[in-house]
Amino acid sequence: MASKETSEKSGRLKQIRLAYQMTKKSDKKVGLVVAAWGLGIFGVFLAIGFLIDHYIILGILGLLFGLVAAAFVFGRRAEKAVLGDMEGTPGAAAAVLQSLRRGWVITPAVAVTRNQDIVHRAVGQAGIVLVGEGQPSRVANLLAAEKRKMSKIADGVVVTDIIVGDGEGQVPLRKLQGKLVKLPRTMSKAQVATVNDRLRALGGLMDNMPLPKGPMPKGSRMPRGPRR
């Protein structure tokens, strides 16, 4: 039992170390920033403790809050670094969508072109959200065609289209999840289930194509699908 717990702790430490090493490649100051937050909060609590003559209790609290703050800051910077590495990679938007919390049904690659333009579908209480990634003008046409299809199948349901990118009117990959979460709710959970039942019959290209999960390596080609 003890050896199992030791093994689990060792595994967690390896994961943390690996995450730190990967983050540091693109965020050179991550160690300094995380340490500054942790030590800064600990220092504030300790200073207050000396002022009111309760430095032991507040020192312990400061240590705990400092560790929590350091973990939170590291998590956010690690996430930002990972998204930065994924940006511009085909399939990156699908990976971000699939990390959404409960309440969304994600169907990657409902429309694909041989030029690596892709449309993913997310269904939740905000309605149907179509997320496109690739060359903006081609993706816009792909999204328009998919939006017309959704409007016929799910009449009356709000359909929102998003192009991932840093251009005007586009949503950066790092802000994609937040964009969906902030969309106004227009359907009940029962309505979401009904819409998903209708769309499930359509499936997606992922059902019939040997596409890898998550982002694809840069420079790779999409399998050929129906012409769009």
Side-chain angles (χ1 to χ4, degrees), residues 155-225:
D155 186 35
V157 176
V158 175
V159 181
T160 305
D161 57 287
I162 294 171
I163 296 179
V164 175
D166 293 316
E168 186 177 354
Q170 300 173 3
V171 177
L173 184 66
R174 62 188 177 278
K175 296 183 179 180
L176 178 59
Q177 194 176 101
K179 174 71 174 179
L180 266 71
V181 171
K182 292 177 183 177
L183 289 173
R185 297 185 177 187
T186 59
M187 296 196 298
S188 65
K189 291 181 179 180
Q191 289 173 315
V192 173
T194 301
V195 171
N196 275 317
D197 287 340
R198 291 183 196 173
L199 295 176
R200 196 170 288 116
L202 284 179
L205 293 183
M206 287 289 283
D207 297 332
N208 304 309
M209 286 182 144
L211 295 177
K213 294 182 179 180
M216 295 178 62
K218 291 184 180 180
S220 60
R221 303 288 294 176
M222 295 294 297
R224 290 190 177 187

Side-chain angles (χ1 to χ4, degrees), residues 3 9 44 58 63 68 129 132 135 137 145 149 151-152 162 169 171 197 207 215 223:
S3 60
K9 288 179 181 179
V44 169
L58 284 176
L63 180 62
V68 170
V129 183
Q135 204 280 332
S137 60
K149 187 194 297 182
S151 298
K152 291 178 182 178
I162 294 171
V171 177
D197 287 340
D207 297 332

Side-chain angles (χ1 to χ4, degrees), residues 66-89:
L67 288 172
V68 170
F72 176 78
V73 172
F74 174 69
R76 293 299 297 269
R77 294 183 80 96
E79 181 183 20
K80 185 178 179 181
V82 169
L83 291 177
D85 289 341
M86 287 169 56
E87 215 156 6
T89 305

Side-chain angles (χ1 to χ4, degrees), residues 90-103:
V96 172
L97 291 172
Q98 288 172 328
S99 68
L100 281 165
R101 293 183 179 181
R102 290 181 301 175

Side-chain angles (χ1 to χ4, degrees), residues 104-152:
W104 291 91
V105 175
I106 310 300
T107 307
V110 294
V112 180
T113 70
R114 64 186 64 185
N115 294 312
Q116 298 184 352
D117 306 309
I118 316 172
V119 172
H120 313 291
R121 185 175 69 227
V123 182
Q125 288 186 272
I128 298 172
V129 183
L130 301 172
V131 179
E133 52 181 332
Q135 204 280 332
S137 60
R138 293 196 303 260
V139 171
N141 293 330
L142 202 58
L143 280 169
E146 198 63 29
K147 195 170 183 177
R148 287 193 295 270
K149 187 194 297 182
M150 293 299 101
S151 298
K152 291 178 182 178

